Amino acid sequence: MSETANTVSTPPTNRELTTAQRRAVAELMRVSPVADELGRRFAAAGHELHLVGGSVRDALLGRLGDDLDFCTDAKPEQTLAIIKGWAEAIWTTGQEFGTIGLQRGGLRLEVTTFRAEAYDRVSRNPIVKYGTSLDDDLRRRDFTVNAMAVSVPGHVFADPHGGLADLAARKLRTPGTPQESFADDPLRMLRAARFAAQLRFEVVPPVRAAMEAMSADLGRITAERIRDELVKLMSSADPVTGLRLLVDTGLADQFLPELAGLRLEIDEHAQHKDVYEHTLTVVRNAIALETDGPDFVLRLAALMHDVGKPATKAVGTGGRVSFHHHEVVGARLTKQRMQALKFPKDVISAVSGLVALHLRFYGYGRGEWTDSAVRRYVTDAGDLLDRLHKLTRSDVTTRNRRKAAALAADYTALEERISRIAAEEDLARVRPDLDGNEIMKLLGIPPGPLVGKAWRHLKELRLDRGPLTHEEAEAELRRWAAEQGV
């Protein structure tokens, strides 16, 4: 059970509800010149306009951003006519779903026709059906806290499903039955986990039960939509709460089975720490080391760093448990899972690269690392070095204070050593001491594979021995060429 779910919420008082409404009005006043002006244009054309959904929720929380959502009884083509000449920019990519986007006064606005959208409960394709009233629209929203609206320019508050009380109590409920809501759009189950992580809300028991019973329905959702929800969850204030909910309800099994797989069975002869709990602790540790907002690559690498352990678990003599080469297996599994979720290649490369490298540091404290090993560590990490520092430090979760202090001291020593060598050499751009043109000129060979082979040989020397003088590099190249029969 999540930590959030263990808390007991008391019903909000009338004073708390009034305070929330005042906060929302204060937030709305900040954007009201644009919102109200747009509302007057719709009213002049005989249509309603309401600020709706997450925008109202965030206004009530005192965190309204610059992206505002509106709903209206006007059809998309009517909306386009109303905003023509007023909007500073217009985009129609969502027009087939009833949404018109625009920009005005530094705000990004989306205006959507009242909808009664639903899935056909068989395929992945939504059925777009326009509703006839604000009530129709709010009834089809995912959660009550997102089913509130404020009219513009009148600022009349609409809350037919008790969203304000749920917001004050930090509870996540659906306007209708959760079974109906999730059948219409199974992605809402992932949104529940995301809001639990993002807003630290409690998912009420009926919603949680429906998530467990209907987790397999997530198979109707495209990989891209699932990926986007995972990114939002992992980038939230408290992703661990959301991750626990995904695992406990069986949703993780549908798109991230490696996470649930970390809950390894611990037998009486092979005691070892719970890899699942360790992983969640590493995620928390990594978040604590962030310096410039959420780092999704670092967080996902922390989540996936040990996914190779179940496949590599072995029990040796004396009941000792080992996971040899789990970083190699884990990097492969991470790459495969991220490819299935349609992540961009550069993000896949970064996350799987960190998983592959996360164990490289261990052994440094035994004094086995030469300067050459340090150079290779930095070169192999490349642009990921700063994240690798954070991931490696995050991976220390032992309760043995002496051991934890020793590992931290060892890594500090490694970082200082990297800084010392970097001050002497340009570790960020380790290159051979001779470039391709010099290699071809010295050996009298044309462009081709042999030049690349010579270049790689010189780079290995550079990593092993550090910078060479031009004369030393030429001598080493001639020696290698002679051995190769060039």
Side-chain angles (χ1 to χ4, degrees), residues 20 24 63 74 83 87 107 123 127 155 193 228 269 401-402 431 479:
R63 44 175 277 180
I83 65 175
L107 300 174
S123 74
I127 301 170
H155 295 185
D228 291 346
H269 302 296
R401 293 185 178 180
R402 181 177 298 178
R431 296 290 186 273
R479 183 179 301 113

Side-chain angles (χ1 to χ4, degrees), residues 269-271 314-322:
H269 302 296
Q271 294 292 330
V315 181
T317 56
R320 184 175 178 82
V321 176
S322 64

Side-chain angles (χ1 to χ4, degrees), residues 6 30 74 122 164 252 261 265 289 296 455 464 480:
N6 284 325
R30 181 173 64 82
V122 177
L164 182 58
E265 210 172 296
L289 294 177
F296 173 76
W455 189 92
D464 284 337
W480 173 85

Side-chain angles (χ1 to χ4, degrees), residues 438-449:
E438 291 173 305
I439 291 171
M440 289 187 289
K441 182 178 178 181
L442 192 64
L443 298 183
I445 59 176

Side-chain angles (χ1 to χ4, degrees), residues 236 325 341 351 446:
S236 66
H325 305 301
L341 290 173
V351 175

Side-chain angles (χ1 to χ4, degrees), residues 285-298:
N285 291 347
I287 292 172
L289 294 177
E290 292 174 340
T291 55
D292 190 24
D295 184 343
F296 173 76
V297 168
L298 174 63

Side-chain angles (χ1 to χ4, degrees), residues 82-146:
I82 292 169
I83 65 175
K84 184 178 180 181
W86 180 82
E88 296 164 355
I90 296 174
W91 52 95
T92 58
T93 51
Q95 184 169 353
E96 64 176 311
F97 301 109
T99 298
I100 300 297
L102 64 138
Q103 185 170 316
R104 172 82 178 191
L107 300 174
R108 290 173 60 89
L109 318 176
E110 285 195 347
V111 180
T112 302
T113 304
F114 291 152
R115 288 189 297 188
E117 180 188 280
Y119 274 72
D120 60 14
R121 306 192 179 189
V122 177
S123 74
R124 298 177 173 182
N125 301 315
I127 301 170
V128 179
K129 180 182 178 182
Y130 294 136
T132 58
S133 68
L134 176 63
D135 283 345
D136 285 342
D137 188 89
L138 296 181
R139 191 179 302 115
R140 58 154 289 275
R141 300 274 164 174
D142 51 4
F143 301 105
T144 60
V145 295
N146 295 329

